[in-house]
Each structure stands twice: as C-alpha cells, then as structure tokens.
Amino acid sequence: MAEEILRIKSLYVRAGKKEIIKGLDLNIGIGKPYILLGPNGAGKSTLLMAVAGIISGSAARGKILYFGKDISTKAADQRARLGISSGFQMPPEIKGVKLKDMIKICTGKSQSEELSADELKLAERFKLTEFLERDINVDFSGGEKKRAELMQVLLMRPKLLLIDEPDSGVDIESLKFIGTEIADYIKKNNASALIITHQGSILEYLKAEKAFVLLNGRIECSGRPEEIITHISKKGYEGCEDCKSPMKNG
Amino acid sequence: MDKRALESLKDVGIKGNEKERAGSYFLSNRSVLMSRINRSFKDKLEVMDIKDALKKHSWLRDYYWKIVDKDQDEYTKAAYEKEDGGYFIRVFEGEKVDLPLQSCMLVSADEFSQKVHNVIIAERGSEANIISGCLAHPGVGKAEHIGISEFYIKDNAKLNFTMTHRWNESTVVRPRSSALIGDSGKFVSNYICLNPVKSLQMYPKALCNGKGSAAVLNSLVFGDGGSCFDIGSRVLLNGHGSRGEVVSRTIAKGKSTVIARGMLEGNAKSKAHLECSGLLLSRNAKIHAVPELFANTPEADLSHEAAVGKIAEKEIIYLMSRGVSKEEAASIITRGFMDVTIFGLPEKLRRSVQDVMDKAIKGF
C-alpha cells in the first residue's frame, strides 16, 4: 500500500498561455492535513484545481499519483468519485439548483429521493436548514458559502479534501466551526487534506502535518507550519526565496 | 375525446377528476365538451361558454373586447369576426376558491383555425387559481390557434393564472391577452411552453391601474427544432404604488429562434423589475432578449437584468467536482434553469405544474 495518498511529480499547469505551475513536486501522507501557503497569484488555487481535475488535459502536464495510481488523465467527476473532494473559494451561483439538490448530488441520491434524517441533522449543524430550498450560493453570505462548501465536501466522504481558503472572510465563530469540522472528519476517517490559507488562522483548530510554500510555480519550502508562518510574517515571501530551506520539495 | 387526446391533456396539467378542480371548461375545435362547476363551489363561481355567458349577462358586454383591441392586428380581427367559443369564469365577491379551476382548448382537426375568446373576472376580494392547457391533438398537422383573453382583477382580488401550451411544428399560435387590475389587486400569470411550435407570438399586457395593484408575469419557454417564438410581457404601472415583476427564462435548442421581450412602463409612483435569462443549447439556435423600461415620471422605480449565453463552464465544473458527469451536470443546470418555483404557486398547484415540467424535460 502506498504511504502517500498524493504524489505529484513534475507538474506544469497553464492558465491561458501563461504557465503558472512550473515543474512542481509534492507529497501528501495518509490521514493528515497539510497547508499550502504562497503570495497572491502564486498558483495555489491552480494547483488545487489541477489535482481535482478541474484543470486537466493539455493545460496540466505531469504525474498526479493518487494512492500510487496515475489519475492525471481522469476527469473531475472521476476523481471526485475516487475520493478527491474540493471546496471552492468562490463557488458559482446556479439558478434553480437548490442546496438540497446539491446534497443529493454529493451523496449519489436521485433528485426524487428525500433527504435522510442524518443529512437534515448535518444541515442543521452547519446552520443551513433554511438554505436547503434556496438556489445554491445565490445571495449566500461569505460565511454561508464556506459552510455550504464544507458540508458538501464532507457529504462526499472524501479521502482527500482540497479546500481553498476556508478561513478567509469568516467570523471567529464560523472559523472555529469550520476548523473543528475539518479536523474531526480527518481524524475519524483517516482522511488527508490540502488546505490553502493566507494567515494560517485555521491552524488554531487544526493541527497540520506540514506547510508548503508555493513560489515561482514550485514548492520552494516546506516544514513545520508555525515556524514557516512566523518566518513569512517577519520577512515576507521574499525571505522564503532567500531561505531556500533544505526541506525543499516536501 | 380519444385516448391519445386524453393522454396529452396530462402534459398541460388538465385532470379528468372533477374532485381535484373547482370547475372545468373543455373546448375541442369549436365544440364545448364540458363546462361545469364542482358541486362544492356552486355558490362561489361561474364557469360557462362565453356565448352562453353573453346571453345570460347583458353587463358582460362591458368587459367583452374592452381591454384587447379588436383592431389590434389580423388575428384579433379574425377572432372578432368569427369566434369558435371560449370560457367565461367569474369568481364571486369575497370568495376564496382553494381548488384550481381548469380550462382546456384542444385543436383536434387538421387545417383548423381555432379562435377563442375568454373573459375572466375575479370580483372584489376574491381569490382563485386557474390552470389553462392549450394543445394540438397528437394526430393533428397544420393548425392555428388564436386566443383572446381578458382578465379583470377587481379591488383586493387575487388571480393566479398558469397556462401551459403543447403544440407541434406545424402550429401557428397567437394569444392576445390583457389584464386590468384594481386597487390592491394582484394578478400572477405563469406561462409554460416546452414543446416545438411553428410560430408563436404573444405580448400580453397587465394594466396595473389600481392603487397598490400588482402584476407578476413569468414565462418558461423551451424552443427546439425549427420553432419560432416571439414572446414577452408588458406591465403598465398606472396606479399609485403599483408593482410589477416580469421573469422570463428561455432555452433555445436545435435551429429555434426565441425573441424574449419585456416591457415596464411607469406612469405613477411605482416599482417594477424585469428579468430576462436565456440559455443557448446549440450553435444554430438564437435568442434575442429585448428588455425595455419606460419611466414617465421620476417616481417610477424600474430595473432590469438580462443575460443570454450558453451554460457557464464554471457551473459544469462545479457539479463535476461533486461527482456527476459533464452530461449530467448540463442536464441538472438546464432543469434548474426551468425551475417552476419561480412561479410561487400554492403547493398543490406547484406539484401539478412540476409534474408537467418533469414529463416535458425528461429528455433534457
């Protein structure tokens, strides 16, 4: 059995004509959360989209091994069914598709089936009961979108969670809830996660195994999350470039 | 009525079971097949053929051809010269009719040009829901349907009118409708057409003349094959504090053309919104959205939003990331786009309309 859930080898990803990810290598172990840091525009979301299959084909070259098997040619839906689930930073609004419809999609139910008692209970825990009949993400606040995203991700029972900035634009209470939910899920299900964060606020509720720093299209540094965040907050990402940690490339 | 015709009635929400309807009117070509009221509603309303109603109520002349101009175009002129029938529905003052009424106009003969005239009166303080189904018999080829409808919603009355059309690629359809709404009256009109038609043109108008009157005009149209739709809704806000809402959702597929119009005219202190959304599902289809706002006083607060295009890639990707294939994702988005909850129907009626919709969009 592979020790890593995810191994990325020499990944190149383009957005339009611009190459964003330039020969990136990264490994993620089983049953642990990891965080991904980097300045705005470094390509963090692009990397998550490439792993999820949202960017694929000729726009993403390289190997993405999931439990040791190359999934780089698989479409987003196939990867989702394999257990890779992504929470979007800016999820789209879809008219006429209700939050309850999304729950059915995430759990593989037909649209004519009713939500189970457990699903209703989960919606209540996420304070989303009154949103079930509403069009997904339409007039949701930032915090409501984050909660709806995370709820859908967890309902898919993933083995690998890819979450884009769960701690941005949310109040302290929501941050605590989101952080705790992710941590509990990972612990109970021996799942792994790759989480993008800017300030690392989520780390207060979730003990990450390692932090990766994405710079110039590559993982330029990795190590203990608290140390790296302290270093960045003191010296900025320019300091990371100077540092060139020996733990480079995870 | 033969089996095929009876079967197709379900596609437009018409039920044979009288228990589920407060009253029914069925017209096939020019023959009235049924015109009756559910016993429990005998003291609350009237349903009859327009010709009988004109004989019974001399005052009906004050409502007949009063808000639709007989000289409006060649179709109104043709209907004025020779009417095949049509219904008269009147809900008595203060009566709340909780079961829907239904009307059905069937064209069941080739080359037939059906011309109908309907007058609907919701008296002061009354409330009612009407389901109207207009369709061509599955065995019919070339045909025409001209429908004149005049709605009168008196002070404090509420009328919800849901019309479903089911034609074929040889049918020409020309509905001509107007609604006059009194003080604090509310008119909700929902229109659904999800099957091909040769040519359908209509531009109904709601005259919000009463103080605090309101009109909500919604339409869901799916153009396929070589269908040509030129449809829209107009709200004229003449009463102080009147309100209007026009929501149009159109899908164009195959080689169809859909012109989706909408017009709000503010002539008094009023507030209204127009929403026009179109989805193109093929390269050869066309949608032309024409939203218009006319504010004739600074106290009119009018707004609109219009969007036409293909299914957004980010919506497809989003659903795929939840484990559904690209094709399933497109189907879910298309079905969502035609969501009947925009109609704001009462639960029983919503389920009935949802059944019609589910049947029609099975192949999306």
Side-chain angles (χ1 to χ4, degrees):
Chain A
M1 192 177 162
E3 284 182 13
E4 299 111 2
I5 188 166
L6 185 73
R7 176 177 280 265
I8 300 174
K9 284 184 187 174
S10 193
L11 183 70
Y12 291 82
V13 185
R14 275 188 294 109
K17 285 184 181 170
K18 197 178 172 193
E19 198 149 61
I20 308 288
I21 304 292
K22 303 164 187 172
L24 179 145
D25 298 315
L26 182 146
N27 303 331
I28 291 204
I30 292 173
K32 288 161 184 142
Y34 293 74
I35 61 164
L36 182 61
L37 301 162
N40 292 326
K44 302 182 295 297
S45 299
T46 304
L47 174 61
L48 255 57
M49 286 195 273
V51 175
I54 292 165
I55 300 175
S56 60
S58 61
R61 291 181 292 120
K63 280 202 184 315
I64 300 172
L65 304 173
Y66 178 65
F67 285 112
K69 287 186 181 164
D70 190 3
I71 56 161
S72 54
T73 57
K74 293 198 181 296
D77 57 316
Q78 293 171 309
R79 295 188 204 191
R81 289 195 294 271
L82 286 172
I84 300 174
S85 180
S86 351
F88 285 52
Q89 187 196 355
M90 284 181 284
E93 298 177 354
I94 310 181
K95 278 181 184 168
V97 178
K98 318 282 180 211
L99 176 60
K100 72 168 185 193
D101 300 332
M102 293 304 299
I103 292 176
K104 292 175 190 174
I105 290 166
C106 290
T107 53
K109 274 190 164 143
S110 75
Q111 287 301 315
S112 57
E113 280 178 86
E114 296 296 327
L115 296 187
S116 69
D118 284 348
E119 286 155 2
L120 290 170
K121 219 180 268 176
L122 189 73
E124 199 181 330
R125 197 167 82 223
F126 274 74
K127 294 183 182 160
L128 290 168
T129 304
E130 63 181 283
F131 293 80
L132 291 172
E133 295 292 340
R134 280 174 49 177
D135 292 353
I136 185 73
N137 301 319
V138 176
D139 297 329
F140 283 31
S141 71
E144 287 153 3
K145 280 182 188 168
K146 299 277 180 206
R147 291 204 303 272
E149 280 301 288
L150 183 60
M151 184 175 75
Q152 291 172 68
V153 165
L154 299 187
L155 279 165
M156 292 173 73
R157 314 296 303 162
K159 295 180 185 105
L160 175 62
L161 294 81
L162 304 170
I163 307 179
D164 200 342
E165 294 190 36
D167 49 2
S168 69
V170 291
D171 58 42
I172 297 169
E173 201 183 347
S174 293
L175 176 65
K176 183 181 178 186
F177 175 78
I178 287 169
T180 311
E181 284 291 329
I182 297 172
D184 284 354
Y185 180 85
I186 288 170
K187 198 176 170 190
K188 282 179 192 159
N189 297 280
N190 199 32
S192 305
L194 183 56
I195 301 164
I196 295 176
T197 179
H198 274 292
Q199 276 80 35
S201 333
I202 195 93
L203 294 171
E204 204 173 321
Y205 309 98
L206 181 128
K207 190 170 163 32
E209 177 75 5
K210 194 187 270 185
F212 297 108
V213 181
L214 180 60
L215 275 175
N216 308 316
R218 291 199 180 101
I219 301 297
E220 290 287 11
C221 174
S222 66
R224 287 177 57 192
E226 294 78 9
E227 274 181 26
I228 289 184
I229 286 172
T230 309
H231 184 80
I232 292 168
S233 62
K234 279 184 189 161
K235 299 197 170 181
Y237 284 106
E238 293 86 357
C240 287
E241 291 205 52
D242 298 339
C243 174
K244 302 283 181 186
S245 159
M247 291 177 282
K248 188 175 169 180
N249 293 343
Chain B
M1 214 179 275
D2 63 37
K3 240 185 181 179
R4 288 172 75 195
L6 284 171
E7 194 56 36
S8 54
L9 291 185
K10 291 179 194 162
D11 299 341
V12 291
I14 300 299
K15 296 205 169 186
N17 187 351
E18 215 185 323
K19 281 185 185 168
E20 294 180 41
R21 297 290 183 251
S24 301
Y25 176 87
F26 284 25
L27 184 80
S28 175
N29 297 334
R30 58 173 65 97
S31 310
V32 180
L33 302 184
M34 187 201 285
S35 173
R36 62 177 176 233
I37 300 168
N38 183 328
R39 245 181 267 159
S40 340
F41 294 89
K42 283 228 182 296
D43 302 327
K44 294 175 187 278
L45 51 94
E46 282 181 286
V47 176
M48 65 184 83
D49 187 74
I50 190 74
K51 288 172 190 162
D52 297 336
L54 285 164
K55 278 180 209 158
K56 185 177 175 186
H57 301 303
S58 57
W59 52 261
L60 187 52
R61 293 280 164 194
D62 296 337
Y63 296 84
Y64 186 67
W65 286 112
K66 291 298 176 199
I67 48 173
V68 173
D69 181 2
K70 64 179 172 24
D71 296 319
Q72 184 181 317
D73 56 32
E74 60 183 295
Y75 301 100
T76 52
K77 280 178 190 165
Y80 182 73
E81 280 162 22
K82 190 180 173 300
E83 279 175 14
D84 296 309
Y87 53 86
F88 167 69
I89 292 177
R90 179 171 165 240
V91 186
F92 298 156
E93 188 169 337
E95 295 296 348
K96 312 271 192 280
V97 180
D98 50 1
L99 275 187
L101 287 126
Q102 64 180 4
S103 69
C104 174
M105 306 290 182
L106 175 71
V107 178
S108 56
D110 264 335
E111 305 281 339
F112 188 75
S113 173
Q114 186 183 50
K115 299 169 194 76
V116 300
H117 192 145
N118 313 308
V119 176
I120 300 100
I121 301 173
E123 295 286 5
R124 288 166 64 101
S126 65
E127 287 180 22
N129 297 291
I130 300 173
I131 295 177
S132 176
C134 301
L135 69 162
H137 187 285
V140 162
K142 203 175 160 189
E144 185 176 61
H145 171 85
I146 300 170
I148 313 296
S149 297
E150 296 180 281
F151 298 88
Y152 295 89
I153 296 91
K154 303 276 185 79
D155 296 352
N156 298 304
K158 283 180 190 159
L159 183 69
N160 190 316
F161 183 77
T162 301
M163 180 159 77
T164 306
H165 277 182
R166 193 185 199 288
W167 306 108
N168 61 44
E169 286 186 80
S170 305
T171 331
V172 172
V173 185
R174 295 290 183 269
R176 299 288 181 259
S177 307
S178 279
L180 181 67
I181 308 151
D183 290 353
S184 303
K186 187 174 182 183
F187 178 55
V188 179
S189 166
N190 301 311
Y191 176 71
I192 305 169
C193 186
L194 305 172
N195 296 93
V197 65
K198 183 180 178 187
S199 162
L200 191 151
Q201 191 270 322
M202 65 177 191
Y203 205 9
K205 82 180 164 208
L207 302 155
C208 287
N209 286 8
K211 277 183 195 168
S213 56
V216 179
L217 309 174
N218 303 309
S219 58
L220 295 179
V221 169
F222 184 88
D224 201 356
S227 303
C228 287
F229 286 93
D230 183 345
I231 60 156
S233 303
R234 291 171 285 179
V235 180
L236 282 78
L237 302 136
N238 303 324
H240 182 87
S242 55
R243 288 165 294 128
E245 192 182 320
V246 174
V247 178
S248 144
R249 300 258 172 100
T250 58
I251 293 182
K253 203 180 165 189
K255 290 182 177 175
S256 64
T257 302
V258 181
I259 300 172
R261 301 177 192 276
M263 193 202 86
L264 304 175
E265 185 181 305
N267 300 316
K269 181 180 164 54
S270 54
K271 191 174 172 64
H273 182 70
L274 170 60
E275 184 197 316
C276 212
S277 308
L279 204 54
L280 276 171
L281 296 186
S282 94
R283 291 201 169 275
N284 297 317
K286 290 182 179 68
I287 295 178
H288 180 187
V290 193
E292 290 183 287
L293 306 182
F294 295 92
N296 296 323
T297 164
E299 292 190 300
D301 178 1
L302 311 178
S303 59
H304 86 77
E305 52 186 309
V308 175
K310 62 177 185 176
I311 296 176
E313 194 63 26
K314 61 182 178 183
E315 294 178 14
I316 298 261
I317 284 293
Y318 186 65
L319 293 178
M320 285 178 75
S321 77
R322 303 295 187 241
V324 299
S325 70
K326 194 173 183 175
E327 294 71 29
E328 282 175 277
S331 168
I332 291 165
I333 294 163
T334 308
R335 293 169 70 102
F337 186 79
M338 301 301 261
D339 178 22
V340 300
T341 57
I342 65 162
F343 290 170
L345 298 170
E347 183 54 22
K348 264 186 193 168
L349 192 55
R350 190 196 64 77
R351 258 186 269 147
S352 174
V353 173
Q354 187 67 57
D355 287 347
V356 172
M357 184 65 81
D358 287 347
K359 209 171 167 195
I361 63 178
K362 233 174 194 174
F364 279 17

